[in-house]
Amino acid sequence: KQEVTQIPAALSVPEGENLVLNCSFTDSAIYNLQWFRQDPGKGLTSLLLIQSSQREQTSGRLNASLDKSSGRSTLYIAASQPGDSATYLCAVARNAGGTSYGKLTFGQGTILTVHP
Amino acid sequence: ETGVTQTPRHLVMGMTNKKSLKCEQHLGHNAMYWYKQSAKKPLELMFVYNFKEQTENNSVPSRFSPECPNSSHLFLHLHTLQPEDSALYLCASSQVRSGELFFGEGSRLTVL
């Protein structure tokens, strides 16, 4: 059974810092890995999707890497801003014969607070 | 208009009530999902529909009954719920095989 762990559980940083969020998973037979952002009481916003054959994806100040063999992914946020404050969720999709069918296993999330 | 729309956003019901959650996606996707987010627990997959056919029931109690009349609409019918069913219920959609999910804002359910 796939298990996803995110470290740290919470992180508080001053504005402008570069930071790294970590995600690890136990079963390397994944189809892809997706990073989401969730604001309090809201739904999930997709940030980055990394296919199992890829090593990294970038979008603006965000960069996500994937090391499938070691079961790890990191989300790097450059020059953090107060608006980045949210819960960040990592989710892996199981590889089911070359597809995923959207069956994601989520981590508990990292609660990020960026203070001015 | 957002890609995935859920109604109602908030719902309070007694244990003997019957209510339904609705989800509509405007992204042209052919797969839809229900996920549950309880306090202090990771999101859990409940149901998967591909091309209107249910392909996954993740051991969900029968008091939750999904319905997918077409590829754009998904319902979750609720009856005789328990207080521990109080949670945020999230709908998502994707293209089958792409694996990239897009979520709605969720329906916050409180069972008294």
Side-chain angles (χ1 to χ4, degrees):
Chain A
K1 179 186 174 185
Q2 179 75 271
E3 292 183 4
V4 179
T5 303
Q6 291 187 244
I7 295 173
L11 182 62
S12 181
V13 300
E15 181 176 7
E17 274 205 8
N18 302 324
L19 53 98
V20 174
L21 308 182
N22 296 291
C23 172
S24 62
F25 47 94
T26 55
D27 185 349
S28 62
I30 66 169
Y31 187 77
N32 60 40
L33 182 145
Q34 206 166 347
W35 282 95
F36 295 91
R37 167 188 173 137
Q38 185 174 31
D39 293 292
K42 299 294 185 92
L44 277 63
T45 300
S46 180
L47 297 174
L48 290 165
L49 172 74
I50 311 178
Q51 301 293 351
S52 61
S53 59
Q54 297 175 321
R55 296 284 294 182
E56 66 177 340
Q57 282 287 337
T58 298
S59 176
R61 294 183 293 108
L62 305 179
N63 175 276
S65 67
L66 173 64
D67 185 342
K68 201 172 66 166
S69 60
S70 67
R72 295 178 187 276
S73 176
T74 60
L75 179 66
Y76 175 83
I77 302 177
S80 58
Q81 303 170 357
D84 294 330
S85 299
T87 297
Y88 289 80
L89 296 163
C90 167
V92 296
R94 178 164 56 94
N95 191 331
T99 189
S100 78
Y101 297 112
K103 300 175 189 175
L104 300 181
T105 302
F106 282 83
Q108 289 269 28
T110 294
I111 302 172
L112 173 65
T113 303
V114 181
H115 47 88
Chain B
E1 193 172 78
T2 58
V4 181
T5 304
Q6 290 188 241
T7 55
R9 292 293 313 280
H10 301 274
L11 178 63
V12 179
M13 58 187 290
M15 297 199 305
T16 57
N17 291 158
K18 290 184 180 181
K19 298 285 184 183
S20 296
L21 307 180
K22 178 184 176 182
C23 176
E24 182 174 2
Q25 59 95 1
H26 307 277
L27 300 170
H29 291 161
N30 45 33
M32 297 188 76
Y33 315 84
W34 282 115
Y35 278 82
K36 176 183 179 181
Q37 187 175 36
S38 304
K40 311 294 185 185
K41 293 176 66 176
L43 272 86
E44 303 171 83
L45 176 66
M46 300 177 71
F47 301 104
V48 180
Y49 278 83
N50 292 325
F51 300 103
K52 304 185 300 178
E53 299 297 322
Q54 186 182 124
T55 57
E56 181 88 6
N57 177 335
N58 197 24
S59 302
V60 180
S62 59
R63 57 186 184 270
F64 295 92
S65 176
E67 178 189 2
C68 188
N70 54 60
S71 293
S72 298
H73 293 85
L74 184 65
F75 296 88
L76 189 62
H77 303 300
L78 316 169
H79 62 97
T80 59
L81 295 189
Q82 305 297 313
E84 58 265 31
D85 296 322
S86 299
L88 182 66
Y89 290 85
L90 291 158
C91 174
S93 71
S94 75
Q95 291 286 20
V96 173
R97 300 184 189 281
S98 81
E100 183 172 14
L101 268 63
F102 294 85
F103 283 80
E105 291 290 326
S107 293
R108 171 70 62 185
L109 173 67
T110 303
V111 182
L112 302 176

